[in-house]
Amino acid sequence: MRILKIIAIVALVALIGIQFIPTTRNQSDVVPVTDFIATYNPPKEVESMLRTSCYDCHSNNTKYPWYNKIQPLAMLLEDHIKHGSEELNFSEFGDYSDRRKKSKLKSFIRQVEQDEMPLESYTLIHRDAKISKSEKKLVLNWINKVLDSI
Ligand code: HEC
């Protein structure tokens, strides 16, 4: 029993300790001209799906959830934002070469078709970010059109 008590206290102290780890905020008020939505002007439903389901990790502007104040959740989110926007950043999409744009949109289609994106660890908490079957059809149709226009 004693050992369990010690472990519990150590864990609690560690949990309190990590609350002081600072995080950087990925937020910007300006919508750059290179922004994907600003450039391709999607239908309303597609726009709102992109904003709710993808932009938190794939743009320069994250809408931070309440749990971003709590570690280790904040670190996890920060890591997702860092890696997600390195791979694909909708705020900077216009700066990509045509070849890169196409390959990213093809990857977009693959990821959404196979339910790889948005990440499950994210939709677990952000229930509204889950993509329904009809939304999926709509967004993939539209992405295919954009792909044809590049
Ligand atoms: C919780 C954060 C998060 C959300 C939300 C999210 N992604 Fe991602 N995404 C990532 C991370 C992290 C990676 C890189 C690592 C990986 O592939 O798992 C990634 C990778 C990708 C890639 C691969 C890029 C490449 O180079 O092939 C595509 C495409 C993508 N995401 C599209 C989307 C789309 C579309 C949505 C919305 C429907 C979305 N993501 C939502 C975090 C996220």
Side-chain angles (χ1 to χ4, degrees):
M1 266 330 268
R2 216 180 123 76
I3 189 82
L4 281 182
K5 228 176 182 173
I6 294 173
I7 291 173
I9 291 171
V10 168
L12 188 68
V13 169
L15 194 66
I16 294 169
I18 61 172
Q19 302 309 316
F20 296 98
I21 298 174
T23 50
T24 49
R25 284 180 91 76
N26 178 50
Q27 265 174 337
S28 152
D29 286 336
V30 280
V31 177
V33 284
T34 48
D35 181 69
F36 183 69
I37 289 177
T39 312
Y40 297 100
N41 202 14
K44 274 273 162 291
E45 297 92 330
V46 175
E47 174 179 346
S48 92
M49 192 235 90
L50 289 171
R51 286 198 197 285
T52 347
S53 305
C54 319
Y55 261 54
D56 274 352
C57 301
H58 290 287
S59 82
N60 292 340
N61 208 359
T62 303
K63 281 206 183 77
Y64 283 98
W66 58 268
Y67 66 78
N68 191 52
K69 303 253 188 304
I70 304 167
Q71 294 288 18
L73 295 172
M75 278 191 283
L76 192 71
L77 187 69
E78 194 176 355
D79 194 59
H80 281 159
I81 293 168
K82 186 167 173 285
H83 291 116
S85 60
E86 265 167 17
E87 296 274 346
L88 169 65
N89 188 335
F90 285 120
S91 302
E92 295 166 5
F93 195 81
D95 280 338
Y96 293 176
S97 66
D98 283 356
R99 195 170 150 203
R100 185 145 189 240
K101 282 179 186 151
K102 282 188 189 168
S103 102
K104 293 298 170 190
L105 292 183
K106 280 183 193 154
S107 173
F108 182 132
I109 294 171
R110 264 198 314 276
Q111 302 278 343
V112 172
E113 250 170 8
Q114 292 165 8
D115 297 320
E116 298 279 347
M117 287 289 150
L119 293 178
E120 215 177 332
S121 58
Y122 178 80
T123 50
L124 213 61
I125 300 177
H126 290 76
R127 309 300 298 176
D128 59 337
K130 249 184 146 39
I131 305 177
S132 70
K133 272 218 172 78
S134 59
E135 275 178 325
K136 200 184 213 181
K137 218 171 144 187
L138 205 70
V139 74
L140 292 184
N141 262 340
W142 183 76
I143 293 287
N144 266 311
K145 272 190 208 143
V146 175
L147 196 53
D148 285 342
S149 74
I150 297 172

